Amino acid sequence: MNTRRKATIATAAAIAAIALATPPANAAEPNATAIDDYLTELVDTTGVPGLAATVTHGDQVIHAAGYGHDTNGDPITEHTPMRVASVSKAFTSTAVMILAEEGRIALDDTVASQLPEFDMQDPRADHITVRQLLNQTSGFSDTTIDVVELETATSLQDYVTRLGDDTLATDPGTDWAYCNANHNVAARLVEVASGQPFADFMQERVFNPLAMTDSATNDHTITPALGHNSLFGLWIPREEAPGFLTDSGSGGIISSAADMAQWLITQNGQGEQLLTPETLQALHTPSPVQDYALGWDVQPDGTLVHSGNLMTYNAVQWIDPATGYGIAVLTTGAGLADVTYAALDGLTAILDGETPETPTNPRGTFELALAAVALAAIALAALGITRSRRWARKHTTLRAPATWLRLTWLLIPAAAFAAYPAGVSLISGGRTITWPSVWYFALPFTLTLLITGLAGVAVLVARVWRLRSIGSAS
């Protein structure tokens, strides 16, 4: 390539860079007032009990505030601690990368060679690398790991030991499957490599340097605001479901909007840095088999996002390395609709200089519809029971098989309820949904399904009893 052409291309590239870096004169600058107005309307419309959010740009916090109240009636603020659930995975991945920079963890060496207690029934597990844990290509899957047993683990060491009788779903590095075991094993590796409990390492190497004073890995240190579930439009305060959360690398972190602001800033390569630029880039680089980096989902537009969902909390984090913007939203409510993603959509619209869509309340509409179905099932069951004698007299002349065929359809709702967790697990991409879990964020749907099932069974029992009575009398 000749010198003149090189100069022309360089000049064009410089002009393009300036054009991209300089927003149009009429672009609306995001401001705290616009953000606050939108979030206030969102909370008012959805009725979510508590929400906290932050928006950052470069090393600056544009907005950090709380909305709603906790169960004591105190206002939610930017310093109210909440569980951030699977947002924790990016924190755990960062902890591993800190130790990798220091040469105490080798990302592309096997887990087994660095964590001797890691020993699974499947010999393929000996080939899992640390990087594969963090980008969820290890072969771990809820379909082959007993996640119910793991929920009763008492420590990270105990958790890893309990994997001993489990197997892999695929060869390591060949496929992607979201599984909490990946980041819990990674957290245990942090303990072994650093010689510190996971909680202490996170406090000293992540939270303290970033001045995240509202954050911890367990509720022994920081008490989060109580979470809620929605039931037919009403928010009910509830303790989080029992499970392995204390010092969990997959979902145990508690934080606040103010602290998440500092986290977003450092993840965008600004402010206090925990990692070198090269290592931060590696943290945000997806695997060859899925657009999932090390604890972050990589979007087609180059932004990174990760949600967090527990039984009574929701959270989401988002960064745009190209523009330096960051967003985090935390809520003390988990229902059939995730308010945090609705908030994220509205806030990104504001950052793009657009007017966000007017907030709606799909949860309330859907739950009212479910309540109507439940009430209708109760009413129809009462009517069916009342008319069971008439029904039995009418059908005694039918052949027995035809009569029983007319009865069996009443068992369809009960059969659907019996298959409920397994069915949801099947359509959720391999995640295991347990019976206890469906009584939390999915409570309205679960109750409606149960009521319709019981209604059908009640009518069936009444009709069979009437048939038997008529048969005995004759």
Side-chain angles (χ1 to χ4, degrees), residues 26 85 112 131 169 178 198 215 222 243 333 344 352 450 455:
N26 60 352
R131 191 186 301 273
Y178 191 88
F198 183 63
S215 300
I222 298 287
L344 178 62
D352 288 338
L450 174 63

Side-chain angles (χ1 to χ4, degrees), residues 404 406-418 452-453 456-458 460-461:
W404 286 105
R406 289 174 178 268
L407 289 171
T408 51
W409 72 270
L410 293 168
L411 291 175
I412 292 175
F417 182 75
T452 55
V457 170
L460 183 146
V461 170

Side-chain angles (χ1 to χ4, degrees), residues 10 15 25 46 49 60 70 104 114 125 137 171 179 215 222 234 239 268 284 305-306 332 376 380 412 420 422 427 447:
I15 293 172
T46 62
Q60 299 298 308
D70 63 20
R104 292 196 274 176
Q114 301 172 76
T137 62
D171 291 342
C179 183
S215 300
I222 298 287
L234 300 175
E239 293 288 344
N268 261 322
H284 296 162
V305 67
H306 208 292
T332 58
L380 290 172
I412 292 175
Y420 176 30
I427 64 176
L447 279 177

Side-chain angles (χ1 to χ4, degrees), residues 242-429:
F244 183 66
L245 280 178
T246 299
D247 295 334
S248 156
S250 65
I253 287 178
I254 297 163
S255 194
S256 68
D259 281 9
M260 288 300 297
Q262 302 310 311
W263 169 251
L264 297 171
I265 287 170
T266 194
Q267 285 290 305
N268 261 322
Q270 302 293 321
E272 181 69 26
Q273 287 300 286
L274 306 176
L275 303 169
T276 65
E278 295 76 18
T279 304
L280 186 63
Q281 180 61 41
L283 183 75
H284 296 162
T285 300
S287 75
V289 299
Q290 178 75 15
D291 289 334
Y292 189 93
L294 310 186
W296 285 95
D297 264 313
V298 182
Q299 303 300 295
D301 62 359
T303 60
L304 292 92
V305 67
H306 208 292
S307 63
N309 307 103
L310 288 176
M311 298 299 111
T312 62
Y313 301 87
N314 284 332
V316 68
Q317 62 177 355
W318 173 93
I319 58 172
D320 184 355
T323 64
Y325 281 113
I327 297 170
V329 185
L330 323 175
T331 65
T332 58
L336 292 171
D338 187 350
V339 177
T340 63
Y341 256 101
L344 178 62
D345 288 343
L347 293 174
T348 52
I350 292 173
L351 296 186
D352 288 338
E354 302 170 358
T355 300
E357 293 184 7
T358 301
T360 59
N361 187 18
R363 172 195 57 82
T365 302
F366 187 47
E367 290 188 19
L368 287 177
L370 288 174
V373 170
L375 289 173
I378 293 171
L380 290 172
L383 185 63
I385 293 169
T386 302
R387 295 183 175 180
S388 60
R389 180 186 294 274
R390 182 190 307 176
W391 185 93
R393 286 175 176 172
K394 182 179 178 181
H395 291 86
T396 52
T397 57
L398 294 175
R399 292 179 295 111
T403 300
W404 286 105
L405 186 62
R406 289 174 178 268
L407 289 171
T408 51
W409 72 270
L410 293 168
L411 291 175
I412 292 175
F417 182 75
Y420 176 30
V424 177
S425 297
L426 185 64
I427 64 176
S428 65

